[in-house]
Amino acid sequence: MNTKTTFFGLQAFFGIFFLFFQIALYAQTDIFKGVVKDEQTLKPIPEVNIQISGTTRGTATDHSGRFSIILEQLPVSLVFSCIGYEDENYKVSELPENTVEFLLMSKAYALNEINITANNYSFLFKNKDYSVLDYELMNGNALLLIFRTLLNKSEMVLLNRSGDTLVISSLPESPPAGLYKDFLSNIHYFSRSDHAYQIFYNKGGNRMDVLYKTTVDSLEKILGSFIFRMSDRLYFQETLANGMGTIVGYYQKGSNRQIIRQYFDEKKSSEWMDDQRFYNRWNGLLASQIPSGEMSAVKFAQSPKLGQYMNQFDERAYQFEFYNMIFPVIKITDNQIAFFNFSRDFIEFLDKEGKILMNVPITFHKESVSESDTLSSVRLSESGWRWGKVILEDEFNHNIYTTYLKNGMVKINQIDLVTGKLKKGTVIPVQYPVKMEVYDGDVYFLNKGVNENWKLAKCSL
């Protein structure tokens, strides 16, 4: 073969090769890089499968939890899967400049039952013969109302924080209805006959004393609106306009009732009025098209189901989600009050007289981390969590918490009152916990597995 011909042939070959190589490089410029870690331990997770949704293309993390994947077009959804972890989805709308850190949640949190010897989780009361009807925290101890089937044998049991029994007491009256803690932290026993008794732990005599028999209605009428005591003042809170506003004030001996804060959400009220006009207009049109016997079960909605019919259950859910407003008011110190104004996205810190000391902006009550978030660190398990509309106070150290819900699971995050941001949350490791109370960094709750009695548990936060 001619050497010159061979040389030009090689030139042509390499020219074509480098041309395709450059095209390939150009096509591979959209390289998405990430690292996957365990949400709790923050350790890297190897062998996590990452697949582009709707395709057969994907990759896996290496021993350090890192991966890179070529994205030929945007947006795309990435599906993360790994043995022992929840499957998660992440939508990539634009290519981030830096490596994205992903945090996966272990499947252990989604189990109905877990190992009760876990370091942060334990049962205080679990009995195959008795079920817990209700409980309240009493100066760090837990007062339980327990019963057997059909309430035919009921007792009160006082446990310390380790679950040790301090006192077992009979009931002042049967059958039981529940327990109630007032704004002064006094515990009351309610019977099904609508009688109320104050319960007092006599530590010296090692017994439960029953005091001040009254009716449930009279007790709730007297104490119902009060929220806390500050010095010689009793502070109260009342609702305005079907929950679209609130009034906060106090009673003090020798003075009249004083209002220190009043808020009314004019925007929500205007939206409600607009909806009512919308309903009236469209329901009139519907009445001419729908048989009269069916009209009572149908209404035309403006939001969130524009142009769709709503039955009575849809309407009730719509009213709750769209109009229900909460304005928690919490005593932070002996001279400071926190007013959570979720309508205006602020925590308002007030003095005893209602003067605003400062406003701290908040966003945690809105969607926290969306699936399309492209921040440098993404907690994938945040996808699908929705705010639980609950504010919990730790009466021991006055820390404040809020909750998030997802598929029967509950996540509790402490609120940083200085910044308004959330601190790292704790997922309660059982589904559907009931009646959560926080004390000294532990959350207490009731739980019931399949074919089990109600039991009392606690989890460290």
Side-chain angles (χ1 to χ4, degrees):
M1 180 181 292
N2 188 296
T3 305
K4 188 174 183 180
T5 303
T6 303
F7 174 76
F8 284 112
L10 289 174
Q11 277 190 319
F13 170 79
F14 283 111
I16 295 173
F17 172 81
F18 283 115
L19 176 62
F20 281 103
F21 183 72
Q22 288 176 342
I23 293 174
L25 283 179
Y26 180 79
Q28 296 179 17
T29 52
D30 287 345
I31 299 178
F32 186 91
K33 296 181 179 180
V35 58
V36 183
K37 297 181 180 179
D38 185 288
E39 183 181 34
Q40 296 296 312
T41 65
L42 297 181
K43 293 182 179 179
I45 308 175
E47 299 181 4
V48 177
N49 293 314
I50 301 101
Q51 185 175 349
I52 299 175
S53 180
T55 73
T56 57
R57 294 187 295 110
T59 186
T61 57
D62 59 19
H63 67 280
S64 62
R66 296 184 176 276
F67 71 93
S68 62
I69 188 169
I70 299 171
L71 303 180
E72 297 179 352
Q73 61 181 10
L74 295 174
V76 297
S77 291
L78 301 180
V79 180
F80 292 73
S81 60
C82 182
I83 297 176
Y85 290 87
E86 294 286 348
D87 291 351
E88 299 289 356
N89 293 276
Y90 179 74
K91 184 177 180 180
V92 183
S93 298
E94 58 184 24
L95 199 68
E97 296 181 0
N98 302 318
T99 299
V100 180
E101 181 182 77
F102 297 97
L103 305 178
L104 290 183
M105 184 175 69
S106 171
K107 278 187 176 180
Y109 289 110
L111 298 177
N112 289 331
E113 295 293 339
I114 68 163
N115 184 356
I116 64 173
T117 60
N119 292 331
N120 69 333
Y121 175 74
S122 62
F123 292 119
L124 268 72
F125 183 91
K126 181 180 181 181
N127 191 300
K128 66 179 182 179
D129 297 321
Y130 283 87
S131 188
V132 180
L133 176 65
D134 200 0
Y135 84 98
E136 288 291 351
L137 299 181
M138 176 186 284
N139 298 321
N141 299 318
L143 179 63
L144 281 69
L145 191 56
I146 63 172
F147 70 98
R148 282 187 174 179
T149 305
L150 301 178
L151 303 178
N152 57 8
K153 181 172 176 55
S154 303
E155 295 175 329
M156 286 186 295
V157 178
L158 186 67
L159 307 176
N160 64 18
R161 298 187 63 186
S162 298
D164 301 323
T165 301
L166 300 177
V167 178
I168 299 177
S169 175
S170 60
L171 303 182
E173 182 180 328
S174 293
L179 298 172
Y180 167 73
K181 180 187 286 188
D182 64 31
F183 73 103
L184 297 174
S185 296
N186 298 315
I187 308 298
H188 304 267
Y189 167 80
F190 287 176
S191 73
R192 289 199 172 185
S193 300
D194 289 332
H195 290 144
Y197 303 81
Q198 184 175 331
I199 306 300
F200 175 75
Y201 174 42
N202 188 324
K203 187 174 182 180
N206 194 33
R207 68 177 187 270
M208 303 300 296
D209 291 337
V210 179
L211 312 171
Y212 314 123
K213 179 180 178 180
T214 185
T215 64
V216 173
D217 288 343
S218 60
L219 183 69
E220 291 180 338
K221 184 177 181 180
I222 294 172
L223 302 178
S225 64
F226 289 107
I227 49 179
F228 53 77
R229 178 173 63 186
M230 187 177 285
S231 301
D232 59 345
R233 297 176 178 179
L234 300 182
Y235 285 77
F236 65 88
Q237 183 177 20
E238 299 172 354
T239 59
L240 285 176
N242 297 319
M244 295 185 193
T246 189
I247 293 176
V248 181
Y250 65 84
Y251 289 93
Q252 187 175 17
K253 187 176 181 180
S255 64
N256 297 325
R257 163 179 156 128
Q258 301 292 322
I259 305 297
I260 67 169
R261 184 71 173 95
Q262 182 169 323
Y263 179 77
F264 177 69
D265 194 324
E266 295 181 357
K267 180 180 178 182
K268 285 292 183 185
S269 177
S270 176
E271 290 174 353
W272 183 84
M273 293 298 295
D274 288 342
D275 276 5
Q276 295 310 303
R277 286 191 288 268
F278 189 91
Y279 288 152
N280 293 336
R281 183 188 316 126
W282 282 102
N283 288 333
L285 294 175
L286 290 173
S288 62
Q289 303 176 23
I290 299 176
S292 58
E294 301 177 12
M295 188 60 203
S296 61
V298 177
K299 282 192 175 181
F300 200 89
Q302 180 183 16
S303 174
K305 295 184 175 181
L306 181 61
Q308 297 182 23
Y309 294 124
M310 296 175 71
N311 60 30
Q312 58 182 340
F313 303 106
D314 290 332
E315 182 188 3
R316 188 179 300 120
Y318 165 60
Q319 292 287 340
F320 176 80
E321 292 294 334
F322 190 64
Y323 296 121
N324 183 56
M325 308 292 292
I326 64 170
F327 302 96
V329 179
I330 297 175
K331 173 184 172 182
I332 301 299
T333 67
D334 289 336
N335 297 295
Q336 195 172 88
I337 301 168
F339 174 65
F340 287 78
N341 193 334
F342 293 113
S343 178
R344 295 185 59 198
D345 305 332
F346 280 110
I347 304 176
E348 299 177 5
F349 290 89
L350 316 174
D351 65 11
K352 295 168 59 174
E353 308 299 332
K355 178 183 177 182
I356 297 180
L357 303 175
M358 63 177 177
N359 287 332
V360 175
I362 52 176
T363 59
F364 63 80
H365 56 300
K366 300 180 177 180
E367 189 171 357
S368 54
V369 179
S370 66
E371 295 182 11
S372 60
D373 200 334
T374 53
L375 298 174
S376 60
S377 181
V378 177
R379 182 169 283 105
L380 284 176
S381 58
E382 293 287 355
S383 301
W385 289 98
R386 60 184 177 85
W387 185 46
K389 293 187 176 181
V390 172
I391 298 295
L392 299 172
E393 178 188 8
D394 187 331
E395 64 179 34
F396 180 81
N397 53 34
H398 300 292
N399 290 332
I400 308 298
Y401 299 82
T402 192
T403 64
Y404 290 83
L405 312 176
K406 178 182 180 181
N407 299 328
M409 306 299 294
V410 175
K411 181 162 65 72
I412 299 181
N413 293 77
Q414 183 180 343
I415 304 170
D416 189 326
L417 297 179
V418 176
T419 65
K421 305 295 184 181
L422 295 182
K423 297 184 179 181
K424 186 177 180 180
T426 299
V427 178
I428 296 179
V430 294
Q431 288 181 304
Y432 305 108
V434 174
K435 193 174 182 177
M436 293 171 290
E437 295 188 28
V438 180
Y439 187 87
D440 193 18
D442 292 326
V443 58
Y444 295 75
F445 56 91
L446 297 176
N447 177 251
K448 182 181 184 298
V450 178
N451 299 322
E452 287 189 344
N453 292 330
W454 285 99
K455 49 192 177 290
L456 178 66
K458 72 173 183 177
C459 179
S460 300
L461 298 176

mmCIF file of all heavy atoms in Angstrom, residues 112-113 126-131 149 447-455:
data_model
loop_
_atom_site.group_PDB
_atom_site.id
_atom_site.type_symbol
_atom_site.label_atom_id
_atom_site.label_comp_id
_atom_site.label_asym_id
_atom_site.label_seq_id
_atom_site.Cartn_x
_atom_site.Cartn_y
_atom_site.Cartn_z
ATOM 1 N N ASN A 112 -45.373 -0.370 60.237
ATOM 2 C CA ASN A 112 -46.409 -0.257 61.257
ATOM 3 C C ASN A 112 -45.842 -0.527 62.650
ATOM 4 O O ASN A 112 -46.285 0.061 63.629
ATOM 5 C CB ASN A 112 -47.538 -1.246 60.964
ATOM 6 C CG ASN A 112 -48.340 -0.823 59.756
ATOM 7 O OD1 ASN A 112 -48.434 0.353 59.467
ATOM 8 N ND2 ASN A 112 -48.904 -1.788 59.057
ATOM 9 N N GLU A 113 -44.925 -1.437 62.752
ATOM 10 C CA GLU A 113 -44.319 -1.764 64.032
ATOM 11 C C GLU A 113 -42.806 -1.695 63.885
ATOM 12 O O GLU A 113 -42.254 -2.037 62.854
ATOM 13 C CB GLU A 113 -44.721 -3.178 64.483
ATOM 14 C CG GLU A 113 -46.203 -3.324 64.758
ATOM 15 C CD GLU A 113 -46.668 -2.519 65.956
ATOM 16 O OE1 GLU A 113 -45.826 -2.172 66.803
ATOM 17 O OE2 GLU A 113 -47.878 -2.250 66.032
ATOM 18 N N LYS A 126 -47.975 -0.543 77.520
ATOM 19 C CA LYS A 126 -48.427 -1.476 76.493
ATOM 20 C C LYS A 126 -48.908 -2.726 77.202
ATOM 21 O O LYS A 126 -48.128 -3.439 77.832
ATOM 22 C CB LYS A 126 -47.280 -1.807 75.526
ATOM 23 C CG LYS A 126 -47.678 -2.751 74.397
ATOM 24 C CD LYS A 126 -46.495 -3.021 73.489
ATOM 25 C CE LYS A 126 -46.884 -3.953 72.342
ATOM 26 N NZ LYS A 126 -45.740 -4.247 71.452
ATOM 27 N N ASN A 127 -50.216 -2.976 77.133
ATOM 28 C CA ASN A 127 -50.808 -4.066 77.883
ATOM 29 C C ASN A 127 -51.855 -4.755 77.020
ATOM 30 O O ASN A 127 -52.740 -4.103 76.472
ATOM 31 C CB ASN A 127 -51.441 -3.526 79.177
ATOM 32 C CG ASN A 127 -51.852 -4.621 80.131
ATOM 33 O OD1 ASN A 127 -52.666 -5.479 79.801
ATOM 34 N ND2 ASN A 127 -51.288 -4.579 81.336
ATOM 35 N N LYS A 128 -51.738 -6.075 76.877
ATOM 36 C CA LYS A 128 -52.670 -6.809 76.021
ATOM 37 C C LYS A 128 -54.068 -6.876 76.613
ATOM 38 O O LYS A 128 -55.040 -7.148 75.906
ATOM 39 C CB LYS A 128 -52.148 -8.216 75.760
ATOM 40 C CG LYS A 128 -52.084 -9.103 76.996
ATOM 41 C CD LYS A 128 -51.586 -10.488 76.641
ATOM 42 C CE LYS A 128 -51.563 -11.387 77.883
ATOM 43 N NZ LYS A 128 -51.108 -12.754 77.558
ATOM 44 N N ASP A 129 -54.191 -6.646 77.945
ATOM 45 C CA ASP A 129 -55.504 -6.705 78.594
ATOM 46 C C ASP A 129 -56.166 -5.337 78.690
ATOM 47 O O ASP A 129 -57.393 -5.252 78.777
ATOM 48 C CB ASP A 129 -55.368 -7.301 79.999
ATOM 49 C CG ASP A 129 -54.870 -8.743 79.965
ATOM 50 O OD1 ASP A 129 -55.301 -9.484 79.062
ATOM 51 O OD2 ASP A 129 -54.042 -9.102 80.825
ATOM 52 N N TYR A 130 -55.359 -4.279 78.700
ATOM 53 C CA TYR A 130 -55.900 -2.933 78.870
ATOM 54 C C TYR A 130 -55.554 -2.065 77.664
ATOM 55 O O TYR A 130 -54.510 -2.233 77.030
ATOM 56 C CB TYR A 130 -55.341 -2.272 80.132
ATOM 57 C CG TYR A 130 -55.977 -2.762 81.413
ATOM 58 C CD1 TYR A 130 -55.484 -3.893 82.056
ATOM 59 C CD2 TYR A 130 -57.067 -2.091 81.977
ATOM 60 C CE1 TYR A 130 -56.055 -4.358 83.237
ATOM 61 C CE2 TYR A 130 -57.640 -2.540 83.161
ATOM 62 C CZ TYR A 130 -57.134 -3.668 83.786
ATOM 63 O OH TYR A 130 -57.707 -4.114 84.939
ATOM 64 N N SER A 131 -56.424 -1.116 77.389
ATOM 65 C CA SER A 131 -56.195 -0.149 76.329
ATOM 66 C C SER A 131 -56.211 1.247 76.935
ATOM 67 O O SER A 131 -56.879 1.488 77.956
ATOM 68 C CB SER A 131 -57.292 -0.263 75.258
ATOM 69 O OG SER A 131 -56.983 0.544 74.135
ATOM 70 N N THR A 149 -62.280 -4.080 77.718
ATOM 71 C CA THR A 149 -63.326 -4.066 76.697
ATOM 72 C C THR A 149 -64.630 -3.508 77.253
ATOM 73 O O THR A 149 -65.047 -3.862 78.362
ATOM 74 C CB THR A 149 -63.540 -5.482 76.155
ATOM 75 O OG1 THR A 149 -62.284 -5.975 75.695
ATOM 76 C CG2 THR A 149 -64.524 -5.472 74.986
ATOM 77 N N ASN A 447 -50.843 5.171 70.155
ATOM 78 C CA ASN A 447 -50.709 4.421 68.911
ATOM 79 C C ASN A 447 -51.428 3.089 69.042
ATOM 80 O O ASN A 447 -51.474 2.500 70.134
ATOM 81 C CB ASN A 447 -49.230 4.197 68.575
ATOM 82 C CG ASN A 447 -49.038 3.356 67.332
ATOM 83 O OD1 ASN A 447 -48.622 2.216 67.408
ATOM 84 N ND2 ASN A 447 -49.358 3.917 66.177
ATOM 85 N N LYS A 448 -51.963 2.616 67.925
ATOM 86 C CA LYS A 448 -52.695 1.356 67.926
ATOM 87 C C LYS A 448 -52.378 0.596 66.648
ATOM 88 O O LYS A 448 -52.678 1.063 65.552
ATOM 89 C CB LYS A 448 -54.201 1.605 68.015
ATOM 90 C CG LYS A 448 -55.062 0.348 68.077
ATOM 91 C CD LYS A 448 -56.534 0.741 68.147
ATOM 92 C CE LYS A 448 -57.430 -0.484 68.299
ATOM 93 N NZ LYS A 448 -57.311 -1.401 67.128
ATOM 94 N N GLY A 449 -51.754 -0.572 66.771
ATOM 95 C CA GLY A 449 -51.500 -1.420 65.629
ATOM 96 C C GLY A 449 -52.709 -2.274 65.313
ATOM 97 O O GLY A 449 -53.725 -2.259 66.018
ATOM 98 N N VAL A 450 -52.625 -3.064 64.245
ATOM 99 C CA VAL A 450 -53.719 -3.935 63.844
ATOM 100 C C VAL A 450 -53.957 -4.981 64.928
ATOM 101 O O VAL A 450 -53.027 -5.620 65.409
ATOM 102 C CB VAL A 450 -53.393 -4.618 62.496
ATOM 103 C CG1 VAL A 450 -54.517 -5.565 62.103
ATOM 104 C CG2 VAL A 450 -53.170 -3.568 61.417
ATOM 105 N N ASN A 451 -55.228 -5.114 65.342
ATOM 106 C CA ASN A 451 -55.625 -6.085 66.372
ATOM 107 C C ASN A 451 -54.879 -5.870 67.678
ATOM 108 O O ASN A 451 -54.571 -6.820 68.412
ATOM 109 C CB ASN A 451 -55.402 -7.522 65.876
ATOM 110 C CG ASN A 451 -56.222 -7.854 64.641
ATOM 111 O OD1 ASN A 451 -57.371 -7.429 64.522
ATOM 112 N ND2 ASN A 451 -55.625 -8.591 63.716
ATOM 113 N N GLU A 452 -54.572 -4.629 67.987
ATOM 114 C CA GLU A 452 -53.883 -4.296 69.236
ATOM 115 C C GLU A 452 -54.704 -3.297 70.038
ATOM 116 O O GLU A 452 -55.606 -2.648 69.521
ATOM 117 C CB GLU A 452 -52.502 -3.696 68.961
ATOM 118 C CG GLU A 452 -51.461 -4.677 68.493
ATOM 119 C CD GLU A 452 -50.080 -4.036 68.457
ATOM 120 O OE1 GLU A 452 -49.990 -2.802 68.496
ATOM 121 O OE2 GLU A 452 -49.103 -4.802 68.376
ATOM 122 N N ASN A 453 -54.360 -3.164 71.320
ATOM 123 C CA ASN A 453 -54.947 -2.130 72.162
ATOM 124 C C ASN A 453 -54.174 -0.823 71.983
ATOM 125 O O ASN A 453 -53.027 -0.816 71.526
ATOM 126 C CB ASN A 453 -54.900 -2.551 73.635
ATOM 127 C CG ASN A 453 -55.816 -3.721 73.927
ATOM 128 O OD1 ASN A 453 -56.850 -3.885 73.284
ATOM 129 N ND2 ASN A 453 -55.431 -4.547 74.884
ATOM 130 N N TRP A 454 -54.811 0.270 72.369
ATOM 131 C CA TRP A 454 -54.126 1.556 72.351
ATOM 132 C C TRP A 454 -53.028 1.556 73.397
ATOM 133 O O TRP A 454 -53.215 1.094 74.525
ATOM 134 C CB TRP A 454 -55.109 2.692 72.634
ATOM 135 C CG TRP A 454 -55.998 3.010 71.478
ATOM 136 C CD1 TRP A 454 -57.282 2.593 71.281
ATOM 137 C CD2 TRP A 454 -55.659 3.817 70.350
ATOM 138 N NE1 TRP A 454 -57.775 3.091 70.097
ATOM 139 C CE2 TRP A 454 -56.801 3.845 69.504
ATOM 140 C CE3 TRP A 454 -54.519 4.515 69.965
ATOM 141 C CZ2 TRP A 454 -56.816 4.543 68.306
ATOM 142 C CZ3 TRP A 454 -54.536 5.212 68.770
ATOM 143 C CH2 TRP A 454 -55.666 5.222 67.958
ATOM 144 N N LYS A 455 -51.863 2.088 73.016
ATOM 145 C CA LYS A 455 -50.724 2.141 73.921
ATOM 146 C C LYS A 455 -50.106 3.527 73.910
ATOM 147 O O LYS A 455 -50.278 4.282 72.935
ATOM 148 C CB LYS A 455 -49.687 1.088 73.532
ATOM 149 C CG LYS A 455 -49.315 1.068 72.054
ATOM 150 C CD LYS A 455 -48.528 -0.168 71.707
ATOM 151 C CE LYS A 455 -48.208 -0.235 70.213
ATOM 152 N NZ LYS A 455 -49.407 -0.503 69.408
#
